[in-house]
Amino acid sequence: MKPDIKICGLKTAETVDRAVARGATHIGFIFFEKSPRYIEPDLAGVLADRVRGKALIVAVVVDPDNDDLDEIMNLVRPDILQLHGHESPERVLTIKALYNVLVMKAFSVRDAEDLRRVEAYIGIADRFLFDAKAPKGSELPGGNGVAFDWSLMAWLDGRVDYMLSGGLNKDNVALALASTKASGIDISSGVESAPGVKDLTMIDEFFDAVASARMPATASGS
Ligand SMILES: O=C(O)c1ccccc1N[C@@H]1O[C@H](COP(=O)(O)O)[C@@H](O)[C@H]1O
């Protein structure tokens, strides 16, 4: 099955348009002010409106309060909230009830213990996202361009529908898809020429790599 493809941290019309033209199923906007990918909600709303209905709009937030969420929900009208902080299962339930929105709960992974935390969110979050733990000293909980040990994903059972992220790029995405059961992939820094600066050629190359990854080799080589 084709994986969902989320391009995250977009800030310009041309990169949003290119990602969707190339087949992005999800477009992500970052609402974490310390990030080089931070975007004001009103601009994100304008960009979201360009592609609404063609790709799902994901708002990435980190331990948001209700005022943050009110603004984002009003101005951006995302299909999905990606909760990339330490939101408890109770907080996820509250957010879903208040805003009637799908929630993708992100987890930072270094070892199997990190995956065990997922259990409490099964039946609460609509989908999961697994990212690498931030390197020491990083101010960002995500978007660090580092991968984790994908073999850990074997700890999860079929109840956990997830997107894989963390350090994906054109060179490793085929292996990522082959070695996990991810139903989606999520990339940010792997299609950037500098922190926060998306590159159209790198976006193209990433989609080309995913397309090749999906084509199984035949015994005859055809
Ligand atoms: O990208 C950010 O700056 C960011 C900030 C705060 C929370 C999440 C963030 N990004 C998420 O990180 C992964 C992908 O990162 P990368 O491909 O390794 O750069 C993805 O889930 C983004 O949504």
Side-chain angles (χ1 to χ4, degrees):
M1 214 166 74
K2 283 185 184 181
D4 288 343
I5 305 177
K6 171 168 167 264
I7 306 292
C8 203
L10 295 165
K11 295 191 296 190
T12 66
E14 65 171 358
T15 54
V16 165
D17 290 351
R18 180 65 68 91
V20 173
R22 288 305 310 261
T25 56
H26 296 60
I27 290 295
F29 297 111
I30 302 283
F31 300 103
F32 182 68
E33 290 190 17
K34 289 179 185 163
S35 171
R37 304 169 189 100
Y38 174 75
I39 184 169
E40 293 287 346
D42 52 356
L43 175 56
V46 171
L47 297 182
D49 284 343
R50 295 177 74 86
V51 293
R52 205 178 294 285
K54 296 183 192 153
L56 294 171
I57 309 302
V58 182
V60 179
V61 287
V62 181
D63 298 315
D65 61 26
N66 287 356
D67 288 343
D68 299 331
L69 291 174
D70 287 348
E71 184 182 29
I72 290 166
M73 294 308 294
N74 284 333
L75 293 174
V76 187
R77 296 189 291 124
D79 300 290
I80 299 170
L81 281 177
Q82 176 177 323
L83 300 180
H84 215 106
H86 297 96
E87 302 84 6
S88 67
E90 294 72 27
R91 180 64 179 149
V92 175
L93 278 173
T94 302
I95 288 173
K96 284 173 64 77
L98 280 176
Y99 298 101
N100 190 27
V101 66
L102 295 172
V103 162
M104 179 155 69
K105 179 71 187 95
F107 290 86
S108 306
V109 182
R110 183 179 297 133
D111 53 36
E113 192 56 42
D114 296 319
L115 293 173
R116 279 192 261 279
R117 292 188 298 120
V118 171
E119 189 69 35
Y121 295 80
I122 291 176
I124 292 178
D126 299 286
R127 199 172 191 183
F128 295 92
L129 182 142
F130 296 103
D131 189 7
K133 274 239 155 77
K136 264 208 170 72
S138 171
E139 287 199 296
L140 303 179
N144 290 297
V146 292
F148 64 95
D149 176 4
W150 300 324
S151 70
L152 292 170
M153 303 313 281
W155 281 87
L156 299 174
D157 61 39
R159 295 172 301 161
V160 181
D161 176 30
Y162 66 92
M163 280 198 164
L164 184 70
S165 78
L168 294 177
N169 57 49
K170 70 176 170 52
D171 298 319
N172 66 10
V173 68
L175 183 60
L177 287 168
S179 48
T180 69
K181 294 189 174 142
S183 59
I185 44 178
D186 179 10
I187 182 170
S188 188
S189 25
V191 288
E192 289 180 349
S193 55
V197 182
K198 293 289 186 286
D199 183 280
L200 293 178
T201 304
M202 291 170 83
I203 291 174
D204 281 344
E205 289 171 347
F206 184 72
F207 279 96
D208 291 344
V210 176
S212 311
R214 280 195 228 125
M215 275 186 275
T218 61
S220 64
S222 58

